[in-house]
Amino acid sequence: MISIQELSKIYTSKKKQVIGVDKVSLDIQEGEIYGIVGYSGAGKSTLLRCMNILERPTSGKVYIDDIDLLSLSKKDLRKARQSIGMIFQGFHLAMGKTVLENVAFALKAAGKPKQERNDRARRLLELVGLSDKADQYPAQLSGGQKQRVSIARALANDPKVLLCDEATSALDPNTTQSILKLLKKINRELGLTIVLITHEMEVVKEICDRCAVMEEGKVVEQGAAYEIFASPQNALTKRFIRTVIDFHVPEELLKKSSGTIVQMKFTGGQAGDTVVSDLLQNYKIKGNILHGNVDYIQEKALGTFVMELTGDPQEVGRAVESLKTILDEVEVLNHDRSADQPVARAE
């Protein structure tokens, strides 16, 4: 659906060149929700604007639905953009127009007759849950309602792609959740391909099928959202994930413990297995769960448990080695102080 090939965007000032996007390549599949995450200045919004040529790339290729956008004339590019909807953090609504008029405006620009524009706009307002707000003005709406109007307007010309630039950043957590649910509903009901720009990993966790992490204009990691959360490779990705799933164990707890503290990560079906109870039954040790959490990414479980194991040091060591053969990730955070030979730290 969307293919970005070696795309770069360089801004030139009198004194120096600034690289906004640095040789980025992405393939976004039809019908998926794809997240692009990064801190401010990472280049993610510039990349998004290059996708519909609001920013013209310095080099590289942009294909949407097998159409090379950079090869199009201005007239053909305007026509191609009708299949690409876009929503922004700041809503960008016409304050002097009603909600209905805001949604219908995009259809007017496309040359649709008035009755068709209004009928289509009303159907879209019903889709986003604002059919009762058609005659109100943006100033009368909450932030979440304004964003719903923006979404309806972006859908006016029945696009195949919806680009979302920090669409939830200005909203409170509850409103953010409602907008994400709406985007997921639109994705499922309309089969729309959605690209989300965000600095919040929670957004990726909630609705994205796949994602890319950007830093200094480059994509430093990309893949299925679940795999990114379960096994992040890049240091920046790990920092982002810690904002959503915190595996931190307080240092005081480690100092006070006299046993061996082990952190275990459960992925997929492992989260429902009886690994911990089997461990305590099979080895002559005692276990105390210090921390446990299970998250769901794309309806797949990702669990983390931290346990203190006590008993004969050799038996504890055998139990830890057994865990390593079962689970993808096992890390010893603190060793039994009574052990003559500490258990080797997991890789």
Side-chain angles (χ1 to χ4, degrees):
M1 168 54 76
I2 302 174
S3 181
I4 308 298
Q5 301 176 5
E6 290 290 306
L7 189 143
S8 293
K9 176 63 180 179
I10 301 174
Y11 299 96
T12 304
S13 65
K14 293 181 180 180
K15 296 182 179 180
K16 62 178 181 179
Q17 289 187 331
V18 177
I19 300 175
V21 179
D22 191 1
K23 296 180 180 179
V24 167
S25 294
L26 294 175
D27 285 303
I28 299 171
Q29 299 168 10
E30 183 175 2
E32 75 175 341
I33 301 178
Y34 195 97
I36 301 176
V37 63
Y39 291 120
S40 178
K44 56 192 187 298
S45 291
T46 300
L47 175 61
L48 191 79
R49 291 171 66 84
C50 285
M51 287 186 188
N52 61 357
I53 323 301
L54 286 177
E55 293 270 5
R56 196 163 190 90
T58 305
S59 61
K61 294 287 187 180
V62 179
Y63 292 90
I64 293 186
D65 207 15
D66 294 326
I67 297 172
D68 181 357
L69 295 189
L70 291 169
S71 70
L72 299 179
S73 65
K74 289 183 179 180
K75 180 180 178 181
D76 289 340
L77 181 57
R78 284 195 297 270
K79 184 177 180 181
R81 281 195 184 123
Q82 291 181 11
S83 67
I84 308 169
M86 191 161 185
I87 59 176
F88 305 88
Q89 176 181 348
F91 316 131
H92 291 196
L93 301 177
M95 303 304 286
K97 295 182 181 295
T98 66
V99 166
L100 183 71
E101 289 169 341
N102 266 279
V103 178
F105 181 76
L107 291 163
K108 184 177 181 180
K112 302 296 183 182
K114 184 175 181 179
Q115 189 60 51
E116 183 180 339
R117 296 198 303 263
N118 288 343
D119 289 346
R120 171 75 174 161
R122 290 187 187 280
R123 287 196 299 272
L124 288 170
L125 288 176
E126 183 176 357
L127 175 67
V128 301
L130 291 179
S131 55
D132 60 332
K133 306 293 184 183
D135 297 325
Q136 294 189 11
Y137 289 85
Q140 298 172 280
L141 305 179
S142 67
Q145 290 170 335
K146 289 175 184 175
Q147 194 59 284
R148 286 172 182 268
V149 177
S150 297
I151 293 170
R153 183 185 57 189
L155 297 176
N157 284 303
D158 195 22
K160 297 178 180 179
V161 174
L162 181 62
L163 306 180
C164 308
D165 191 4
E166 298 279 10
T168 60
S169 295
L171 307 175
D172 64 73
N174 288 336
T175 306
T176 291
Q177 286 294 318
S178 70
I179 293 298
L180 293 179
K181 286 180 181 178
L182 174 60
L183 290 174
K184 197 165 188 176
K185 172 186 175 184
I186 290 168
N187 168 255
R188 288 177 172 175
E189 293 185 4
L190 305 182
L192 202 63
T193 303
I194 298 178
V195 182
L196 281 170
I197 296 296
T198 183
H199 63 270
E200 300 170 295
M201 208 64 184
E202 182 68 33
V203 171
V204 176
K205 173 177 170 284
E206 286 295 320
I207 67 169
C208 291
D209 301 299
R210 293 193 300 139
C211 71
V213 181
M214 288 191 70
E215 183 178 30
E216 296 182 350
K218 296 178 180 290
V219 170
V220 296
E221 190 164 356
Q222 60 178 302
Y226 185 86
E227 297 304 324
I228 293 289
F229 274 90
S231 184
Q233 302 300 307
N234 184 271
L236 175 64
T237 309
K238 292 176 181 178
R239 289 202 300 273
F240 267 118
I241 289 172
R242 281 197 294 269
T243 66
V244 180
I245 303 174
D246 187 10
F247 301 145
H248 175 71
V249 178
E251 191 65 30
E252 278 301 310
L253 187 60
L254 296 177
K255 290 179 180 178
K256 290 179 180 179
S257 171
S258 59
T260 296
I261 297 182
V262 181
Q263 178 173 285
M264 300 164 281
K265 184 181 290 185
F266 297 75
T267 58
Q270 292 176 337
D273 291 344
T274 57
V275 174
V276 172
S277 60
D278 289 347
L279 186 78
L280 299 180
Q281 288 181 16
N282 294 335
Y283 296 89
K284 297 178 181 179
I285 59 174
K286 293 182 179 180
N288 179 30
I289 294 179
L290 305 177
H291 170 74
N293 186 60
V294 178
D295 285 276
Y296 288 87
I297 298 103
Q298 289 299 306
E299 300 179 356
K300 291 173 64 178
L302 175 62
T304 301
F305 288 87
V306 178
M307 287 189 66
E308 180 184 40
L309 303 178
T310 56
D312 178 75
Q314 292 186 343
E315 191 75 354
V316 170
R318 285 191 289 269
V320 171
E321 291 304 315
S322 174
L323 283 174
K324 293 179 187 178
T325 67
I326 300 170
L327 303 177
D328 294 329
E329 187 174 319
V330 177
E331 182 178 4
V332 177
L333 303 179
N334 194 39
H335 300 292
D336 185 343
R337 295 192 181 95
S338 66
D340 294 327
Q341 297 293 328
V343 180
R345 186 181 179 89
E347 296 295 331

